[in-house]
């Protein structure tokens, strides 16, 4: 089981490092395969993401071209937004928003998947 | 490549700060999905607001994925902090040896992923991204 945990973690972390994200794959693995409680799985998932992205960002900075000003703007907005979102989610249960946004994601995922044969992004 | 390159206009600040706020909000509120919006915003508005030396390259989409992960990191750290302070997540009951099984591969896998990004064909990258969005969306609906 330890070996499987390590292999699964490695593969999910690779997806995070590539930048496409793990999409909550670890939560699914923890709750269904490992029978971990949901709140523990989410805590681990968050730590997992922080560790893997902390390790991948320096590599990206070294290898890719960053537009730092834009990254900074999004990050500042992101910290403010996540502060508000994380507080609000304690008060308002995000059931409806979660389902609506989930639907939107599935829809846009299908679009991305089938439009991905185009050469450039758009 | 586009000619109407508009850097440092009010619109530029507005669009990318809003992208951050909405992405961060989703990250904090739902726990997932923030990065997807940032990838979309960077690929859509990048050619208009980011210098053509970067946004005009054929593998600009790879830069978008890389920049996105850098922006999601501080937002996730902020929501992790709030979740932890309010007791919404806990690490009690998770043993250190178990944590190591996940977090050590997380660190190595994260680096390996970043290194192989160059090698991955962009259209495959987008397919992978699309598949993970569908999966993430289904998780939100059915969880």
């Amino acid at each position: 089981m330890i070996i499987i945990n390590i292999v699964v973690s490695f593969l999910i972390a690779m997806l995070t490092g590539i930048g496409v994200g793990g999409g909550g794959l670890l939560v699914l693995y923890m709750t269904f395969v490992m029978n971990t409680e949901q709140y523990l799985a989410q805590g681990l998932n968050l730590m997992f993401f922080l560790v893997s992205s902390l390790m991948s960002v320096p590599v990206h900075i070294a290898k890719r071209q960053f537009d730092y000003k834009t990254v900074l703007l999004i990050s500042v907005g992101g910290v403010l937004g996540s502060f508000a979102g994380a507080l609000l989610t304690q008060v308002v249960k995000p059931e409806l928003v979660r389902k609506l946004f989930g639907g939107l994601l599935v829809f846009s995922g299908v679009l991305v998947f089938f439009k991905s044969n185009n050469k450039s992004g758009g | 490549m586009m000619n109407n390159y508009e850097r440092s206009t009010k619109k530029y600040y507005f669009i990318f700060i809003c992208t951050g706020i909405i992405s961060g909000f989703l990250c904090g509120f739902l726990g997932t999905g923030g990065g997807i919006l940032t990838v979309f915003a960077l690929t859509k508005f990048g050619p208009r607001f980011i210098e053509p030396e970067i946004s005009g390259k054929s593998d600009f989409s790879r830069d978008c994925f890389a920049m996105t992960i850098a922006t999601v990191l501080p937002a996730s750290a902020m929501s992790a902090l709030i979740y932890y302070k309010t007791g919404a997540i806990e690490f009690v009951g998770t043993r250190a040896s178990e944590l190591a099984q996940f977090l050590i591969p997380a660190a190595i896998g994260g680096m390996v992923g970043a290194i192989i990004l160059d090698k991955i064909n962009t259209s495959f990258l987008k397919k992978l991204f699309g598949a993970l969005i569908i999966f993430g969306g289904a998780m939100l609906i059915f969880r």
Side-chain angles (χ1 to χ4, degrees), chain A residues 36-111:
Chain A
T36 310
E37 302 262 5
Q38 179 80 28
Y39 71 101
L40 284 176
Q42 277 174 320
L44 184 73
N45 187 56
L46 207 50
M47 268 220 283
F48 185 90
F49 176 80
L50 289 176
V51 169
S52 54
S53 54
L54 207 60
M55 295 301 281
S56 69
V57 167
V59 178
H60 286 308
I61 290 176
K63 294 188 73 163
R64 306 235 55 93
Q65 272 187 289
F66 270 41
D67 180 31
Y68 288 102
K69 193 174 168 184
T70 307
V71 168
L72 186 71
L73 287 180
I74 301 174
S75 300
V76 169
V79 169
L80 295 174
S82 66
F83 180 78
L87 282 180
L88 191 67
T89 199
Q90 321 284 338
V91 193
V92 186
K93 282 291 147 231
E95 294 305 315
L96 181 68
V97 179
R98 208 173 68 191
K99 286 191 166 39
L100 287 175
F101 185 64
L104 186 71
L105 285 189
V106 171
F107 176 73
S108 47
V110 170
L111 286 185

Side-chain angles (χ1 to χ4, degrees), chain B residues 97-116:
Chain B
S97 61
E98 283 175 351
L99 278 184
Q101 287 171 34
F102 294 100
L103 298 184
I104 294 170
I108 303 167
M111 269 178 79
V112 172
I115 291 167
I116 64 168

